Amino acid sequence: MQKVLNEFKKFNISFLNKKEDIYPYAYDTAPVKDSAVLPFCVVFPKNTQDVQKIVKIASKYDLNIVPRGAASCHTSGCKPNNKSIVLHLSLMDKIIEINKEDLTARMQPYVTVGHLQKEVEKMGLFFPPDPSNLAVSTVGGAVALSSGGPRTFKYGTTKDYVINLEVVLASGEIMHTGSNVAKNVTGYNLTQLFTGSEGGLGVITEITFKLIPKPEKRRVTLCYFDSIIDAAAAVNNVINALIVPSTLDLLDKNTLSTIKKFNPVEILEEKEAALLIEIDGSDAKIKEDNEKLLSVLEQSNAVKIIQSKNDDENEEIWKARRSAYACVAKLKPNVATEDVVVNRSKIVPLVEGIQKICKKYNMMVCIMGHAGDGNIHPNFALNFDNKKDKENFEKIKKELFQLAINLGGSLSGEHGIGSEKKPYLDMAIEPVALKYMKEIKKLFDPNDIMNPNKMF
């Protein structure tokens, strides 16, 4: 396929094709269970026009396109095959415009969420979606997976802030899905169709987000309970008291003890559960909400309540929470994080069900998640070189997903489907809906060149 590489050279598009160079691109953050399949090559477009040329070359030579950002997804959403051109978007990392008057920001897909947040906050603005790995998570990936994070309960997920996308389609055509205005009901909502499409309908090359004014202050509370049931009840009690926290996160005992083991922070590891609650707003609003919050937590059997006094203490508590996944990764050679979602009323049976399943298979699990919106993340510590661990993990996954479905929930709240959850998709989506999703994929990508074998 030297002809393909010659075309990249002709268009001055950088690429890698040596085995030792492309090997790292055979993986993403999903647990490694099988041998790697190397892509055909990895290319580095500089702009939308480069992407357009690469897509046309892929179509011409019967190759496929796998868009790749930071590859921090957990479902093999970036997994290539031997006919894949991995489209690494690392050179498309510019914030094009932040418009304070219109409350919008326009950028290329490799801008990280953390960088975007810092830049807009300098102007008194706010981009709420807040994935735990925001230091590396790219906005292109956030849109492709419709990522959420701890602030979802109050502020929503990425899909609630995307107003326009520039997309290169499988045909090589360039399409803008919306317009850079806050309200738009002109035609079908293609922006939302591409948000969460996991690179299967086209390559996102430019994104316009709406922004909101930055909250004046934040205050973080970490409170402990002697049971998961008390912690879950406290979540509903807080909401019923008409308090709207930006974050309502749950951590179980295993998570607390694991964070404490590898992170020098003040955590009560012997407690069965903890809630991390953040409120934000004006000084007056925080004072009012905090008085009600303390009263509700005391009445909800919280055994200890710790509150931040300033921004530095806010960050110290959040640093511990964000370190949870990395701490679990130190327990065994591998860590696998899953992502299911249920209604808040079903959090207790979900958590208890996960614990029961893992006890049955003798698997270490640390459970954490966004209790405000029912999105729970069990993190499994295991060794994929151990045959029994591998077999048990596959059984646990299936039982976990079935548990979530039986409780009226679904397979994913923010990590997506990729190829890892593809076999279980029909558990969550009725046949007629699945049929039309596949038809949509076929309409936009008739030759299945866009990130094939993901989702469907």
Side-chain angles (χ1 to χ4, degrees), residues 220-222 276 306-308 312-322:
V220 180
T221 299
L222 187 61
L276 189 157
I306 298 169
Q307 292 197 307
S308 64
D312 287 341
E313 291 187 11
N314 286 341
E315 293 311 312
E316 279 301 307
I317 296 174
W318 268 113
K319 183 180 177 181
R321 167 62 181 91
R322 293 189 194 283

Side-chain angles (χ1 to χ4, degrees), residues 123-140:
M123 302 173 67
L125 303 176
F126 190 41
F127 180 69
D130 193 41
S132 293
N133 58 350
L134 58 86
V136 296
S137 176
T138 64
V139 293

Side-chain angles (χ1 to χ4, degrees), residues 27-32 68 70-76 133 325 335-337:
Y27 301 102
D28 59 15
T29 310
V32 177
R68 184 180 176 103
S72 59
C73 53
H74 296 279
T75 59
S76 290
N133 58 350
Y325 176 81
V335 58
T337 184

